[in-house]
Amino acid sequence: MSINKNFLQFLPIIFHLISLTVAKNISAILYDVSPFIKVYKNGTVERLFGTNIVPSSFDPTAKVLSKDIKISPKLNVSARIYLPKNANCKLPLLVYFHGGAFFTESAFSPTYHSYLNSLVAKANIVAVSVNYRLAPENPLPIGYQDSWLALKWVFSHAKGKIGNYEAWLKKYVDFGHVYLGGDSAGGNIAHNMAIRFGSDKSGIVLDGLFLNCPHFWGNKLIGNESSDPKRAGVMESIWVHAYPNSTGFDDPLSNPGLDPNLSKLGCKRVLVYVAEKDILRDRGLYYGKALRKSQWDGVVEVVEIKGEDHVFNLNLPNSTKAKNMLKQVALFLNQGLVKYQI
């Protein structure tokens, strides 16, 4: 078979045009939810931060041990467990859900590893940091389902030895004093786990719920949400792409103020932190008001941190306000009297 010489001389040009077409298709953005992720038309997901991980370890400064465990290898649901090195008795338990707009971060990131080490040391508690699967590859409600699976696994240790058994939980956890907590999207998850917990008959008593700048939203903008259209657009884009099959921004999972089951929140104490410069500030304040107006039989305190932005304590852990906040959360986790002012 002979090939026309005229055709051969055009091959480099043809290959160049093909490569440009392929490159264009690869670089074509399907949607952009900066500063969290970019998703390309070829299916590539680019996470803009929160992809670094650190191994579990012994932290000599905090004197806290940590280790990782697979809760469901099949579903890739896991957790990092934290224990004070000198633990010699049963301690309160915090089950924590990380933030990251449902798209980024993990229980193994440097940010959350450092924060949980500090909080466990300060409060003298055991902590389980849940690693749920992320959107958009695993769109909500998968993250909620993973988180509930993790909770059920943790609580199963109160009933006796189980197949996927973790000795630290069985030996050191006082299941009479259990708390849920989370920041941003993790705060949203923690709240929704507490709502589901209210209807659960596990026999576990949930002492309290701690939310840091929780990610809630709604169809009708409130307070400072309309003052920054660009940032408000990012908040809306997060929910649209993290949970494309939801009923919208007023879905009870997004807008607990419209949840008919809000009064069933499964604990009696709630501590919420909001930041003055955060676009989610007024939604957090509204959450506190909605809880008080519901038939929920509990006490909620909402603390506004002046001059700070979204989850400032994770970004500036050594600031005076962040250290004071850490002390207050530690008091809350030990049922102490919290001074609701930073």
Side-chain angles (χ1 to χ4, degrees), residues 50-57 66-69 71 76-82 95-100 104-117 127-134 147 150 183:
T51 58
N52 293 333
I53 63 173
V54 293
S56 56
S57 61
S66 61
K67 65 178 175 180
D68 301 333
I69 188 166
I71 295 172
N76 196 28
V77 179
S78 55
R80 178 161 291 178
I81 304 175
Y82 295 83
V95 182
Y96 194 86
F97 304 93
H98 69 81
T104 68
E105 292 287 8
S106 74
F108 316 122
S109 77
T111 296
Y112 289 101
H113 184 68
S114 176
Y115 176 67
L116 267 299
N117 271 323
V128 175
S129 183
V130 177
N131 200 58
Y132 52 90
R133 287 174 289 175
L134 299 176
S147 298
D183 65 280

Side-chain angles (χ1 to χ4, degrees), residues 18 30 35 77 104 107 109 125 129 205 234 266 290 318 321 326:
I18 291 174
L30 181 62
V77 179
T104 68
S109 77
I125 59 172
S129 183
V205 176
V234 172
N318 294 318
K321 290 181 182 178
L326 188 73

Side-chain angles (χ1 to χ4, degrees), residues 121-339:
K122 181 64 68 175
N124 194 36
I125 59 172
V126 178
V128 175
S129 183
V130 177
N131 200 58
Y132 52 90
R133 287 174 289 175
L134 299 176
E137 300 95 328
N138 299 284
L140 296 174
I142 289 175
Y144 296 120
Q145 294 165 352
D146 288 353
S147 298
W148 184 248
L149 175 67
L151 269 183
K152 297 292 285 185
W153 172 79
V154 170
F155 295 157
S156 67
H157 288 74
K159 300 177 181 179
K161 192 169 182 177
I162 59 174
N164 190 9
Y165 173 76
E166 172 46 52
W168 283 5
L169 296 182
K170 187 63 179 174
K171 184 175 181 180
Y172 294 108
V173 169
D174 178 359
F175 283 99
H177 296 293
V178 177
Y179 294 82
L180 303 184
D183 65 280
S184 196
N188 174 297
I189 292 175
H191 159 78
N192 282 296
M193 293 303 100
I195 288 289
R196 187 165 179 176
F197 190 90
S199 301
D200 185 55
K201 305 300 179 182
S202 66
I204 301 296
V205 176
L206 187 62
D207 270 359
L209 174 66
F210 156 60
L211 307 179
N212 179 14
C213 299
H215 183 120
F216 299 131
W217 203 254
N219 279 328
K220 182 180 179 180
L221 298 184
I222 61 174
N224 67 337
E225 293 173 353
S226 59
S227 64
D228 190 341
K230 182 178 180 181
R231 206 168 176 185
V234 172
M235 295 301 106
E236 294 179 353
S237 187
I238 288 171
W239 188 252
V240 166
H241 294 296
Y243 198 170
N245 292 324
S246 81
T247 59
F249 303 127
D250 280 342
D251 187 312
L253 294 167
S254 170
N255 188 355
L258 298 181
D259 186 353
N261 293 316
L262 185 60
S263 63
K264 297 179 181 179
L265 190 76
C267 63
K268 300 298 183 183
R269 300 170 68 226
V270 176
L271 176 60
V272 183
Y273 283 93
V274 298
E276 181 184 18
K277 296 180 180 180
D278 186 7
I279 196 167
L280 295 175
R281 179 197 66 185
D282 286 287
R283 195 62 62 170
L285 297 173
Y286 169 66
Y287 172 77
K289 293 177 182 177
L291 265 180
R292 294 186 189 103
K293 289 181 180 179
S294 74
Q295 298 301 310
W296 175 65
D297 181 23
V299 177
V300 56
E301 294 288 348
V302 182
V303 184
E304 180 177 354
I305 311 298
K306 299 295 184 180
E308 301 296 345
D309 211 326
H310 191 64
V311 296
F312 83 97
N313 63 307
L314 299 180
N315 301 319
L316 301 168
N318 294 318
S319 69
T320 299
K321 290 181 182 178
K323 289 180 178 179
N324 287 338
M325 181 175 169
L326 188 73
K327 292 177 184 178
Q328 298 299 311
V329 174
L331 279 173
F332 178 76
L333 297 175
N334 284 279
Q335 301 194 38
L337 295 176
V338 178
K339 297 178 182 179

